[in-house]
Amino acid sequence: MPPAISDSRLRRCVDVVSAISLLIALSPLLVLIGAAIRLTTPGPAIYRQRRVGRERRVFTIWKFRTMVVNADRGGPSVGGKADPRITAVGKLLRGTRLDELPQLVNLLRGEVTLIGPRPEVETFVSYYTPTEQGLLSVRPGLLGPGALLFAARQSDELDTALDPDAYYVSHHLHPKLALDLSYVRDRRLASDLRLMVDALRVAAGARPKKSLQHNKWAER
């Protein structure tokens, strides 16, 4: 999986242009969301979390805060849609994926690319198999097939799990990574466009295309 194929100069140019254009165009929405978070719950509007990027470099990913302050201290790293730590505004942001918008800053910095496997938290990277660790040789993405599978079909299962983190590792992590691996091995413009369409469908509350519903990526 040569880096020149997965992280070309053209892809980086598209990332920079997309990040600058979207940050400018969406700036009123970003301010509005930030104000809504600050006015409805105590604490900052932006949530920062350590993620593992290309070549295992750890970086800080940005999101709009969707949970109560310090929710990650003493609680599970993952949660379902009914997680009691999620705020009222946070539930709306998560449902529409608007909480991910601050990651346009990460896109501009070059820490992520527009389409690619989502960066994972350090705790879960330790469970990667040797094959799955190949994903760490490419730049992670804002949108990826594994993350869409989790958002559309898997996250609800965590609401009834006694140990969400353990359940995520045993039931969700490896199917997600199988999709990401298959995508990276056959990375094309057509697959990127298909993922963008699926992301819009998930954000609108619809089911994704069958490529995610039936794990088509992992079957290749």
Side-chain angles (χ1 to χ4, degrees), residues 2 36 42 47 50 77 87 98 112 119 123 133 136 152 159 166 172 194 199 215:
Y47 173 71
R50 288 163 59 89
S77 299
T87 66
L98 292 175
V112 298
T123 301
Q133 290 175 17
L136 301 176
D159 290 330
H172 296 164
R194 184 161 60 245
N215 224 7

Side-chain angles (χ1 to χ4, degrees), residues 69-78 83 85 163-165:
V69 175
N70 297 327
D72 53 351
R73 296 183 181 178
S77 299
V78 293
D83 193 314
R85 299 174 295 176
D163 186 338
D165 286 355

Side-chain angles (χ1 to χ4, degrees), residues 5 26 28 37 86-87 104 109 118 120 125 131 137 147 151 155 159 163 172 182 188-189 192 200 208 210 213:
I5 295 177
L26 298 176
I37 295 171
I86 301 175
T87 66
L104 292 171
R109 288 177 172 177
R118 286 289 291 166
E120 192 57 89
V125 171
T131 299
S137 66
S155 61
D159 290 330
D163 186 338
H172 296 164
S182 188
R188 294 175 295 173
L189 176 60
D192 284 0
L200 291 174
K210 291 183 178 180
Q213 290 188 42

